[in-house]
Amino acid sequence: MTSVAIIGTGFGGIAAAVRLKRSGVTDLVLFERADDVGGVWRENTYPGAACDVMSHLYSLSFAPKADWSRKFAPQAEIHQYLRDVARDLDVMRHVRFSTEVLAAAFDEAENRWVLSLSTGEEHRADVLIAATGQLSRPSRPAVPGLENFRGTVFHSAQWNHEHDLSGRRVAVIGTGASAIQFVPAVAPATASLTVFQRSAPYVLPKPDGDYSERARSAYARVPGLLRLSRARIYATNELRSLGVNTEPRLLFAHRARFRRYLREAVPDAGLRARLTPTDPMGCKRILMSNDWYRSLQLPQVEVVTEPISGVREQAVVTADGREHEVDTIVLGTGFAATEFLLPMRVTGRGGRDLHEQWKDGARAHLGTVVPGFPNLFVLYGPNTNLGHNSIIVMLEAQIGWVVQAVRLLRRGAARTLEVRPEVAAGFDAWVQERVGHTVFAGGCRSWYLTASGRNTQNWPASTLTFRRRLRRLRLDEFVVDAPAELVPAGEERA
Ligand SMILES: Cc1cc2nc3c(=O)[nH]c(=O)nc-3n(C[C@H](O)[C@H](O)[C@H](O)COP(=O)(O)OP(=O)(O)OC[C@H]3O[C@@H](n4cnc5c(N)ncnc54)[C@H](O)[C@@H]3O)c2cc1C
């Protein structure tokens, strides 16, 4: 019987567990370092947190939900959805909570993965699936003096709910996807809120709104209606791939819409200039909000574009020497996205270290498998992030492919599957060449890039292309270690 270990219980881990169980895998364990399922939707509890892909699509294809409260559901509702899916589809009993996987090593004698757990135990499994996400480790900026700050500091992904921001003088560092959600939610109650902006984001209106009771009941009752809505959102998003991945000039309509929106939303020309992005559109994530610009014009809110030079006991200091007195600093500085699988130590065939192999940037064939690391599958792995559509589409494509691989192992047709180095190298060359033609290569500094400028995050094509490439597992892409009786006479074992 093939045993499978999954690390992580976000969308990826839960979906993989359901699909593997449905394909007959019963020897299955999920390790989760936290005490609940949910991944980023468990962690990011900041005020205003919500998805930015419509919920009819930002949900699992095999677990449709007709009664989302809004078009873009809030965090708590998405978290509850994941809990419900894990409970209803019988994943919960396979999860070992509060158990971090510290290291994973491939044992060549046994052809199994040996996991070292934070509980001090070891766990062995034939197949290892890392569903640790790209955005599960908050990134703290290296600001000189931050450690000497006397007030309260926290990251948006570790929101301090004990610390009421009403009447406080708050500094927000960063203007990314999280900040544009929590600033409008907290700013009105603060005494002052200073937003430190390194680069202005493109923010478009969010076509959000509540679903009426009638609409929800129609989605639940009318056959095919929810699927139709999902397909419509998918197709609309997918069309944007042309502008994002193929011909950035095709984003002209979005650019025009952005300029119009900014002009209408921010009448003050000076502030508008500071809020006008200098990067090409799409180079960083295009954001959506209906209240970001409004919140920046509240009397107690200031947008500072001067770079931060340091932090003192009671102030953030900018390069012009100005001291901005605050009692709270909220870091909206995103995640250590390029550091895939860290801090876990992963050792493959011949004792090779995954992070050593990835020292010039993480890479994986189809974002999923790595030469030298048999029977290891990485979900939402290198170059599987998107600028135009739902990550769940990518995760489900990967999972379908992994299930095919596990089926093969279960049938005994192979003991290990290991992608051929030349196949992985060829794929990587294609990804890197293609990504150079996308909007992500527009010259900005984004979380998609490593320090040396390699894009390790984004898929450079449509999700249709990704799905097509992962529809069928191609055995010729692998070194297949088959049991002796299955190797045809006269053929060498790979
Ligand atoms: C605030 C926010 C909003 C987002 N909104 C959208 C959106 O609207 N649309 C979209 O497509 N994408 C969005 N994303 C991207 C999001 O990351 C993916 O959509 C998806 O949720 C990723 O799921 P995952 O299971 O791959 O990873 P995660 O959700 O990151 O889950 C990883 C899990 O692994 C666990 N883990 C990690 N390491 C270990 C270890 N060593 N041992 C044990 N457990 C471990 C973590 O605790 C976590 O539970 C958003 C991300 C964030 C942060």
Side-chain angles (χ1 to χ4, degrees), residues 17-41:
V18 171
R19 294 284 309 275
L20 285 166
K21 277 171 72 85
R22 287 185 178 173
S23 83
V25 171
T26 48
D27 190 349
L28 177 72
V29 185
L30 295 93
F31 295 103
E32 173 53 61
R33 65 181 175 209
D35 59 4
D36 195 1
V37 299
V40 298
W41 298 106

Side-chain angles (χ1 to χ4, degrees), residues 423-474:
V423 170
F427 173 79
D428 182 51
W430 176 81
V431 166
Q432 291 304 318
E433 198 276 326
R434 277 289 321 237
V435 89
H437 300 287
T438 65
V439 280
F440 314 122
C444 64
R445 202 167 127 197
S446 73
W447 60 266
Y448 309 141
L449 308 180
T450 62
S452 66
R454 183 187 163 90
N455 189 324
T456 51
Q457 308 306 122
N458 287 353
W459 173 246
S462 67
T463 69
L464 284 171
T465 304
F466 190 73
R467 292 165 71 185
R468 196 167 52 241
R469 295 207 60 168
L470 279 96
R471 189 161 298 143
R472 204 155 289 130
L473 185 91
R474 283 180 46 186

Side-chain angles (χ1 to χ4, degrees), residues 7-13 31-34 38-42 44 46 50-53 58 99-101 131-136 178 285 335 344 379-380 389-392 395:
I7 311 175
T9 61
F11 268 103
F31 295 103
E32 173 53 61
R33 65 181 175 209
V40 298
W41 298 106
R42 178 194 65 237
N44 289 269
Y46 59 77
C51 54
D52 59 12
V53 168
Y58 192 65
T99 307
E100 182 167 0
V101 178
T132 48
Q134 291 196 5
L135 306 175
S136 63
S178 301
R285 195 171 177 80
F335 300 88
M344 208 170 23
L379 300 184
Y380 196 13
N389 217 334
S390 168
I391 298 306
I392 298 173
L395 283 169

Side-chain angles (χ1 to χ4, degrees), residues 121-145:
E121 299 157 275
E122 273 191 354
H123 178 87
R124 282 161 195 271
D126 299 313
V127 173
L128 178 60
I129 299 176
T132 48
Q134 291 196 5
L135 306 175
S136 63
R137 296 182 59 226
S139 157
R140 288 174 80 91
V143 179

